[in-house]
Amino acid sequence: MTTIEVTRFWYEKYPWDSKTLEEVEEMVIARVIELIEQAGGEINGIESFIKKLKSNGFKIGLATNSPYKIIPVVLEKAGIAQYFDSIFSAEFLEFGKPDPAIYLMTSKELGIDPENCIVIEDSYSGMMAAKKAGMKVVAFTNGNQDVNLSLADYKMESFLEQELHIFS
């Protein structure tokens, strides 16, 4: 869900009248940014993995349900901002994942047909969006045993010591 969808969900469940939906959404985004800057939560091996993809000539896009304000904070914290050829937030679309629009826009921006794209996803709704867009899916579990892998073409537990054979 996008941040505004989550905010609407909680408002419908427990309505409040002291602030607008937009104000609450901005408060949530500000807090998430603050937590990222303080704690991080970097994913081991991601920088070397993305560098390897770039050195092998791959174009890299980011298609996320996260609000656009959060994206540069996360990418800078992880030291990987410079590797992306295209960045899209579902914040600017009518629907977030599992709608495929975010992936279709990203592939168009990259100049790559959807059937030639490989998506690395850690959520079922993201995998669903990628499959609806006609893309191959690598399920990134990061050790999480609860990830639904039923839509995945491949599985990847860690970015450490990953082989690029699935991308050839």
Side-chain angles (χ1 to χ4, degrees):
M1 297 172 81
T2 63
T3 312
I4 194 65
E5 289 170 331
V6 170
T7 306
R8 262 191 229 112
F9 170 84
W10 286 110
Y11 177 78
E12 289 168 8
K13 197 167 180 105
Y14 304 104
W16 60 80
D17 39 271
S18 60
K19 297 190 182 314
T20 67
L21 285 175
E22 291 78 15
E23 288 172 324
V24 172
E25 179 190 19
E26 285 301 317
M27 290 170 60
V28 169
I29 292 168
R31 180 66 177 141
V32 168
I33 289 171
E34 182 182 316
L35 291 171
I36 291 167
E37 290 172 340
Q38 289 174 1
E42 295 87 14
I43 299 170
N44 289 332
I46 189 135
E47 184 177 8
S48 61
F49 179 79
I50 290 177
K51 275 182 171 176
K52 193 179 286 187
L53 288 176
K54 289 300 285 183
S55 70
N56 280 279
F58 288 94
K59 291 183 180 179
I60 300 176
L62 177 65
T64 180
N65 272 359
S66 294
Y68 196 80
K69 290 179 183 177
I70 294 175
I71 297 168
V73 177
V74 172
L75 296 181
E76 290 299 327
K77 181 87 175 188
I80 57 176
Q82 68 274 21
Y83 301 115
F84 288 86
D85 300 296
S86 176
I87 297 172
F88 279 102
S89 167
E91 171 182 3
F92 304 111
L93 299 172
E94 185 175 359
F95 301 106
K97 299 172 191 177
D99 188 89
I102 187 88
Y103 282 123
L104 294 172
M105 288 183 67
T106 303
S107 71
K108 184 177 181 179
E109 176 79 12
L110 292 171
I112 301 171
D113 291 331
E115 63 271 10
N116 293 323
C117 292
I118 297 175
V119 172
I120 299 174
E121 254 302 342
D122 64 351
S123 74
Y124 185 78
S125 66
M127 287 184 235
M128 188 181 300
K131 293 309 265 183
K132 286 179 185 176
M135 301 175 178
K136 295 280 187 204
V137 174
V138 176
F140 173 63
T141 65
N142 200 23
N144 181 356
Q145 302 301 315
D146 297 327
V147 176
N148 183 335
L149 304 174
S150 63
L151 297 176
D153 297 291
Y154 306 97
K155 176 184 163 191
M156 182 168 71
E157 290 188 29
S158 167
F159 286 107
L160 297 170
E161 302 175 23
Q162 284 299 312
E163 296 294 325
L164 293 179
H165 67 275
I166 62 172
F167 297 108
S168 55

